[in-house]
Amino acid sequence: MTGASLRTLVAAIVAAGAAGATLGLAFPLLALNLDDWGVSEAAIGLFTLSAALSTLAMTPFAAPLLRRFGARPVMAAGLLAVVGAFVGYPLAPDYGVWMGLRGLAGAGFTLVFVASEALILHHAPVARRGLVVGVYASTIAGSMAVGGVVVRQLGHTGPEACWVGAALAAAGALALALPGPGLAPSDAAEARPQALFGRIWAAPLLMAAPLT
């Protein structure tokens, strides 16, 4: 594995970890606030469903975006969409607005995870792919747990947890923006729908992460 490939893998894992921490923060933070507002369980379930629907809606566009702009810009754009959603939550405490922001964040998470997984599966050497995928999955799982700790420490009623979520996503985008070799866009062939379907077959659990 070359140094450029290693830097690509590190950047993808860091960005995905930032997204995972933000996602782990969002789950309890938003649900607890909606419950405090007196929103029904059915409405909270519908709110959660909006994230999955935005993932399904964004997925067909992932391949064209990767092909046109490359993995790093697409991942950065996804993280910036998450930043925008977390900035918007405390500024507009309204169920309808939050549902739209949750959909925006869900689309952003989709871009981050699909692009990072594509980079992982493309750049990880076959002999070490299992190790790299294990590090990637462990990073996401651990970072999601960190998000829950943030909510526990800061509480869910004030804007502080939202600011932390925005800062985490921004940090992931900043890591991708750092100059250096190995962060170049993926080859166009790797962003074609056929290639993405091949990755889904190769690693279905990883590709299903944005739906959670």
Side-chain angles (χ1 to χ4, degrees), residues 103-202:
L104 174 65
F109 286 129
T110 300
L111 293 178
V112 173
F113 288 127
V114 169
S116 63
E117 290 153 8
L119 286 175
I120 292 291
L121 295 175
H122 176 66
H123 287 283
V126 175
R128 298 184 179 179
R129 183 167 294 170
L131 173 63
V132 174
V133 169
V135 171
Y136 174 79
S138 298
T139 299
I140 293 178
S143 63
M144 289 185 70
V146 169
V149 171
V150 170
V151 175
R152 181 179 179 86
Q153 294 298 319
L154 298 181
H156 67 278
T157 56
E160 292 82 6
C162 288
W163 303 145
V164 171
L168 288 170
L174 182 62
L176 292 168
L178 292 174
L183 294 177
S186 297
D187 185 86
E190 294 300 317
R192 290 174 183 164
Q194 298 92 328
L196 289 178
F197 284 126
R199 295 187 186 102
I200 292 173
W201 180 260

Side-chain angles (χ1 to χ4, degrees), residues 66-78:
L66 286 172
R67 183 166 58 247
R68 180 169 183 177
F69 299 107
R72 178 174 57 164
V74 167
M75 292 175 69

Side-chain angles (χ1 to χ4, degrees), residues 34 39-50 95:
L34 292 175
V39 176
S40 68
E41 292 183 1
I44 294 176
L46 181 62
F47 179 85
T48 304
L49 179 63
S50 68
Y95 178 82

Side-chain angles (χ1 to χ4, degrees), residues 15-84:
T22 311
L23 185 61
L25 188 154
F27 284 142
L29 175 65
L30 302 181
L32 289 171
N33 274 280
L34 292 175
D35 184 64
D36 287 349
W37 296 353
V39 176
S40 68
E41 292 183 1
I44 294 176
L46 181 62
F47 179 85
T48 304
L49 179 63
S50 68
L53 293 177
S54 67
T55 292
L56 294 175
M58 177 55 68
T59 299
F61 298 100
L65 289 171
L66 286 172
R67 183 166 58 247
R68 180 169 183 177
F69 299 107
R72 178 174 57 164
V74 167
M75 292 175 69
L79 285 165
L80 291 178
V82 175
V83 171

